Amino acid sequence: MPRSGSSSLTQSESSRRDLSWTGCERAVRTLHSDASDDLDRAQSRRLYSLELSASRHAGESPRRLLEQAKRILQ
């Protein structure tokens, strides 16, 4: 039964890679709008910058960009 563990790992690795730039942009925009009341100006500007980066497909990967957005909110 060790295969079931490795297959779930493979599925999670695949789901991590499947985030598109459009999906990333949408996720960052949603994070930004949901937290807008709790953000200071610098955080809001940084999230907006990440939204623009996602729309231009700029950056290492969509997953990395989304992780950066989540770190801003912590």
Side-chain angles (χ1 to χ4, degrees):
M1 288 292 221
R3 286 201 174 263
S4 65
S6 63
S7 67
S8 65
L9 178 62
T10 304
Q11 288 172 353
S12 67
E13 288 172 359
S14 174
S15 67
R16 284 187 210 137
R17 281 185 262 122
D18 290 344
L19 181 66
S20 68
W21 283 108
T22 304
C24 176
E25 181 183 3
R26 189 177 306 120
V28 172
R29 185 175 296 123
T30 300
L31 288 172
H32 189 184
S33 64
D34 288 350
S36 63
D37 293 337
D38 300 326
L39 299 174
D40 63 26
R41 187 177 178 106
Q43 290 171 315
S44 183
R45 292 181 126 202
R46 182 66 184 133
L47 285 171
Y48 181 69
S49 174
L50 290 173
E51 285 179 47
L52 292 177
S53 293
S55 72
R56 293 188 310 256
H57 302 192
E60 218 173 285
S61 71
R63 179 66 53 193
R64 176 118 169 89
L65 200 142
L66 183 57
E67 289 171 358
Q68 289 173 346
K70 288 178 179 179
R71 273 189 301 239
I72 291 170
L73 297 175
Q74 291 178 346

